[in-house]
Amino acid sequence: MQRPTGSTEGLRRSNTGAVLRALRRLGPSTRVELAKDTGLAKATVGVIVADLEAAGAVAEEGSRPGVRGRPGRPVALRGERFVTLGLELNVDYVSAVVLDLAGDVVSSSSRPGGTTADLRELAGTALAEHVGTDSTLVGAMLAVPGLVRGDNRTVAWAPNLHVTWPDVADTLGSLVPGRRIEVSNDANCAAYAESHHGAATGAAHALYLTGTVGIGAGIVQDGEVMRGGAGFAGEVGHMPVGDSTALCGCGRRGCWEASIGLHAMLAAVAMTELDTPLRTAEAVAARALTDAGVRSGLERVGRDVGLGIAMLSSVLDPEVVVLGGYFAPLGDLVLEPARRTLDERLASAVQVRPDLRTSTLGIQAAALGAAEQSFGPVFAGERELTA
Amino acid sequence: MQRPTGSTEGLRRSNTGAVLRALRRLGPSTRVELAKDTGLAKATVGVIVADLEAAGAVAEEGSRPGVRGRPGRPVALRGERFVTLGLELNVDYVSAVVLDLAGDVVSSSSRPGGTTADLRELAGTALAEHVGTDSTLVGAMLAVPGLVRGDNRTVAWAPNLHVTWPDVADTLGSLVPGRRIEVSNDANCAAYAESHHGAATGAAHALYLTGTVGIGAGIVQDGEVMRGGAGFAGEVGHMPVGDSTALCGCGRRGCWEASIGLHAMLAAVAMTELDTPLRTAEAVAARALTDAGVRSGLERVGRDVGLGIAMLSSVLDPEVVVLGGYFAPLGDLVLEPARRTLDERLASAVQVRPDLRTSTLGIQAAALGAAEQSFGPVFAGERELTA
DNA sequence: GACATTAGTACGAGTCTCGTACTTAATAGT
DNA sequence: ACTATTAAGTACGAGACTCGTACTAATGTC
């Protein structure tokens, strides 16, 4: 999905990227299998694999015999050598994920707090403990709840965070010398994570919905995050959906998050907020087991969730919609009414309702997605893996 | 924007595509200018240009002196040799556009009628009159109002058309021997046309809204049509927007097109339909000059248009929104209230309202977009131009 | 008319992919 | 146990392509 650099070296980079992608997708594979999948010649794959092995990016596994003929020697991505760092700075917690080239999570941690110092400490610990001198940090990305420009560098608007941006950039810059830390929107990162590791694995077109006090969406189209003209695509919290009289925190009426945000949900079930959205939702789910009033309140919220997803689906046509944030603990209590509403709103018989699922990655979704995105240039064949 | 095929020949194709794209974007350019723009070496560009000239795809223009040094000899895309055919089959009219490699419309025609025979006749005439034996038909695409799968081959649902699909495919197949005719959605084609030739020229992220009895959207993201998982992205007519009590032709209530479709607009201004949507809208626009009631009716429609665009903008973040179909003749009568509504619904201070414009391509938009899309593989460096 | 300046080309070096032929390592059959 | 068969991986030379350098060509400037 990228333009080759023009030169033959660029061609090699591009083909190396194709081999790496095939290894991620197929798992351990022999050279012949890789050749078949990528369309390259056997000999070419052999050379590329040898280079990757020298760089420490792949390793041979034990052969698997049983069939006639010389057994192939499968090659697998090796995690030890190359890693990325994904961070999330949120209102009341920070997260860090170290991901390796094989796609395994090397380290995953989060803690309460929302300051630059909290983030710095968590990231510093993760790096110190899990990124040795023999491994290379390929890239790093920070996910934030806010509007981030398409260049992945400047935060245009993050009203809920109590930090100043040059400060964050400086702090993190000193942490990862020589590598710029990119910034991206948390919902976009989470969407990427779910489509690569979570509930939407394998779906090229996925939609992720994060729900806390605000509502945000991350859109994955053709395996890539969709950013829009300025980078602000997916800011769906203030779409006019649901109860048109509901007063939103932004001062207007009828915003979607005024109908399905955490506070609206709590009002619907007549309960109060606990310390975190997740714990609050768990308490609501527990109460729903015995309280019909809570169940019907969630039913109302679910219908409004479905209404918004109907809208988004008709625009984006995703295969899978993943609900994260406070929706995850509530599960089918919200999803079932949403599915019913969605079925009612399908425009035609040929349209298939997207699969509604709850997030499987929880609070680490955004940080994991940030880490995974940092591998993007490697798998795209834009950045070379050097020892 | 695409991956080379692996071989060095693929690299050449890819680089040739880059040169062609540069020529389209920059206009006539010298080899040095092309080298600077594409990042290729002077010598490489020289070879590629020579090949293209031999194939008849480009030609040298008169030099432009005036500066010190040897004057460059600009090279320009040549239209005579390679063309594409874009067709549109709609409910009550058919259109055909022949487009050449230089981006000039060679022929553009449309006529009433909505049968396979009408289409065949129009297409046959266009080909016979404007595609000589010395020119090559690079590709052909048909735009239809309906749901077309992402493979650009199968029509899943087109309830308004009174044709059978194998029939259309056979008829057109015999017209363009040896080349498969692709099919696509009309709004997607029109969006592509507007972003390449029309009101959104130069915008990488554009949204096109077509309005007749039904409402459809075409989405261009990063210069490419966004299709979604099944190919049905942009089916926005039945989003729940606007008057939630309005009864839609689909049997449900609250669909957007029940508030802003042609019939809803006519009800709002208390006028009756003429033979075509365009002529009807022109009559309404004329009446609005003297009739305050009509103006306030359009005002109401405009607000609902703005409400839906607010929704779409928060999801897609386009730079430009182009309104086609019956909206074009009404212009600011609808756009102004839409802009005001949009301004009210912007979620944050940093978000910029997308530019609302009326279509400049009129009834030919879809056919032109279909033709332009048929050049896609050429500019992407996937298909070679051979004499 | 000499010089400076810029455009375009010729050419050789380097890189890469590919197909073919060959080697290697296993199973199947006798 | 030995041979035939099958399939994986590699060595090697041919071919295609890009690139940098050196060179030629064409124009304006002094």
Side-chain angles (χ1 to χ4, degrees):
Chain A
M1 303 296 174
Q2 56 86 232
R3 181 173 302 138
T5 324
S7 66
T8 50
E9 285 93 337
L11 182 57
R12 163 60 64 91
R13 263 202 304 282
S14 173
N15 286 339
T16 303
V19 170
L20 289 171
R21 282 195 303 278
L23 280 171
R24 239 316 170 70
R25 202 174 58 254
L26 306 175
S29 320
T30 67
R31 292 162 180 78
V32 171
E33 287 165 350
L34 291 171
K36 196 160 293 174
D37 186 79
T38 58
L40 298 171
K42 267 200 305 180
T44 307
V45 172
V47 176
I48 289 175
V49 166
D51 282 1
L52 285 174
E53 200 169 3
V58 304
E60 281 195 352
E61 289 194 336
S63 69
R64 29 175 198 206
V67 287
R68 217 183 159 88
R70 173 174 171 177
R73 293 188 310 177
V75 173
L77 288 175
R78 218 168 77 97
E80 291 83 0
R81 196 83 187 71
F82 299 100
V83 297
T84 57
L85 174 67
L87 300 172
E88 178 181 8
L89 174 61
N90 215 308
V91 181
D92 52 7
Y93 70 92
V94 290
S95 289
V97 164
V98 177
L99 184 72
D100 71 21
L101 184 65
D104 293 324
V105 175
V106 175
S107 136
S108 166
S109 53
S110 47
R111 40 166 286 191
T115 68
T116 308
D118 293 324
L119 183 64
R120 198 213 143 85
E121 193 190 318
L122 194 73
T125 308
L127 284 179
E129 291 182 2
H130 297 100
V131 183
T133 50
D134 55 332
S135 49
T136 307
L137 189 65
V138 173
M141 182 179 273
L142 169 67
V144 297
L147 299 180
V148 184
R149 297 206 182 276
D151 59 3
N152 283 5
R153 288 165 60 182
T154 40
V155 176
W157 203 56
N160 301 323
L161 296 181
H162 310 293
V163 297
T164 54
W165 287 107
D167 188 24
V168 173
D170 286 352
T171 304
L172 294 177
S174 69
L175 212 68
V176 189
R179 262 277 169 255
R180 184 199 332 272
I181 295 208
E182 294 187 299
V183 189
S184 189
N185 173 271
D186 59 345
N188 282 331
C189 289
Y192 200 73
E194 293 288 352
S195 80
H196 280 76
H197 295 266
T201 306
H205 301 262
L207 174 67
Y208 177 89
L209 223 59
T210 173
T212 56
V213 175
I215 301 291
I219 303 163
V220 171
Q221 282 273 331
D222 250 321
E224 293 299 321
V225 170
M226 203 194 82
R227 303 297 305 268
F232 304 160
E235 288 300 318
V236 298
H238 301 276
M239 298 194 307
V241 179
D243 179 0
S244 62
T245 66
L247 186 63
C248 179
C250 71
R252 284 182 293 253
R253 290 181 182 276
C255 297
W256 196 21
E257 65 183 52
S259 285
I260 69 160
L262 182 65
H263 294 160
M265 185 273 285
L266 288 173
V269 300
M271 288 178 66
T272 53
E273 190 169 1
L274 303 183
D275 55 344
T276 73
L278 242 59
R279 237 190 295 277
T280 308
E282 279 158 13
V284 173
R287 178 82 70 86
L289 292 175
T290 58
D291 188 332
V294 168
R295 285 199 297 276
S296 82
L298 292 177
E299 173 102 13
R300 201 278 300 153
V301 173
R303 282 198 300 273
D304 281 341
V305 168
L307 216 53
I309 293 181
M311 194 111 50
L312 295 170
S313 294
S314 44
V315 179
L316 300 170
D317 185 23
E319 299 159 53
V320 180
V321 179
V322 180
L323 284 98
Y326 89 74
F327 297 115
L330 297 175
D332 282 343
L333 290 166
V334 169
L335 260 59
E336 268 308 316
R339 289 194 187 100
R340 284 197 298 276
T341 305
L342 205 46
D343 281 333
E344 286 165 19
R345 304 259 19 147
L346 278 185
S348 74
V350 296
Q351 277 165 309
V352 180
R353 162 158 58 76
D355 229 358
L356 261 59
R357 304 176 190 162
T358 50
S359 163
T360 58
L361 300 173
I363 205 173
Q364 300 286 357
L368 175 57
E372 184 66 56
Q373 281 196 74
S374 295
F375 272 124
V378 171
F379 288 107
E382 286 160 19
R383 196 206 296 291
E384 212 167 346
L385 292 175
T386 48
Chain B
M1 305 290 187
Q2 61 84 234
R3 183 169 302 135
T5 324
S7 66
T8 51
E9 286 93 337
L11 182 58
R12 163 60 65 92
R13 263 202 304 282
S14 175
N15 286 338
T16 304
V19 170
L20 288 171
R21 282 195 301 279
L23 280 170
R24 237 317 168 71
R25 202 176 56 256
L26 305 176
S29 319
T30 67
R31 292 161 180 78
V32 171
E33 287 164 349
L34 290 172
K36 194 160 296 177
D37 186 79
T38 58
L40 299 170
K42 266 198 309 180
T44 307
V45 173
V47 176
I48 289 174
V49 166
D51 281 2
L52 285 173
E53 198 168 5
V58 304
E60 280 195 353
E61 289 195 333
S63 69
R64 29 174 197 207
V67 286
R68 217 180 159 88
R70 174 174 168 177
R73 294 190 308 180
V75 174
L77 288 174
R78 218 170 76 98
E80 290 82 2
R81 196 80 186 73
F82 299 99
V83 297
T84 57
L85 174 66
L87 300 172
E88 178 181 9
L89 173 59
N90 214 309
V91 181
D92 52 7
Y93 69 91
V94 291
S95 288
V97 164
V98 177
L99 183 72
D100 71 21
L101 184 65
D104 293 325
V105 175
V106 176
S107 136
S108 164
S109 52
S110 47
R111 37 165 289 189
T115 68
T116 309
D118 293 324
L119 183 63
R120 197 213 143 84
E121 192 189 321
L122 193 73
T125 308
L127 284 178
E129 291 183 0
H130 297 101
V131 183
T133 50
D134 55 333
S135 49
T136 308
L137 189 64
V138 173
M141 181 178 273
L142 168 66
V144 298
L147 299 181
V148 184
R149 298 206 182 278
D151 59 3
N152 281 4
R153 287 165 62 181
T154 41
V155 176
W157 203 57
N160 300 323
L161 296 181
H162 309 291
V163 296
T164 55
W165 287 107
D167 189 25
V168 173
D170 287 352
T171 304
L172 293 178
S174 69
L175 213 68
V176 188
R179 263 280 167 252
R180 182 199 333 274
I181 295 208
E182 294 188 298
V183 189
S184 189
N185 172 272
D186 58 345
N188 282 331
C189 289
Y192 199 74
E194 293 288 352
S195 80
H196 281 77
H197 295 267
T201 305
H205 302 261
L207 174 67
Y208 177 88
L209 223 60
T210 172
T212 55
V213 175
I215 302 290
I219 304 163
V220 172
Q221 282 272 330
D222 250 323
E224 292 300 320
V225 171
M226 203 194 79
R227 303 298 305 267
F232 303 160
E235 287 302 317
V236 299
H238 301 277
M239 299 194 308
V241 179
D243 179 0
S244 63
T245 65
L247 186 63
C248 179
C250 71
R252 284 183 296 255
R253 288 180 184 279
C255 297
W256 195 21
E257 67 182 52
S259 285
I260 69 160
L262 181 64
H263 294 160
M265 185 273 285
L266 287 173
V269 300
M271 288 179 65
T272 54
E273 190 169 0
L274 304 182
D275 54 345
T276 71
L278 241 60
R279 235 188 299 275
T280 309
E282 279 159 12
V284 173
R287 179 83 70 84
L289 292 175
T290 58
D291 187 331
V294 168
R295 285 199 297 275
S296 82
L298 292 177
E299 173 104 11
R300 202 277 299 151
V301 172
R303 280 198 302 272
D304 282 341
V305 168
L307 215 53
I309 293 180
M311 193 110 52
L312 295 169
S313 295
S314 44
V315 179
L316 301 169
D317 185 24
E319 299 159 56
V320 180
V321 179
V322 180
L323 285 97
Y326 89 73
F327 297 115
L330 296 176
D332 282 342
L333 290 167
V334 168
L335 260 58
E336 268 308 317
R339 288 193 188 102
R340 283 197 298 275
T341 305
L342 206 45
D343 280 333
E344 287 165 18
R345 304 261 15 151
L346 277 186
S348 73
V350 297
Q351 278 166 308
V352 180
R353 163 157 59 76
D355 228 359
L356 262 59
R357 303 177 190 163
T358 50
S359 162
T360 57
L361 299 172
I363 205 172
Q364 300 287 355
L368 175 56
E372 185 66 56
Q373 281 196 74
S374 296
F375 272 124
V378 170
F379 288 107
E382 287 159 20
R383 196 207 297 290
E384 212 167 347
L385 292 175
T386 47

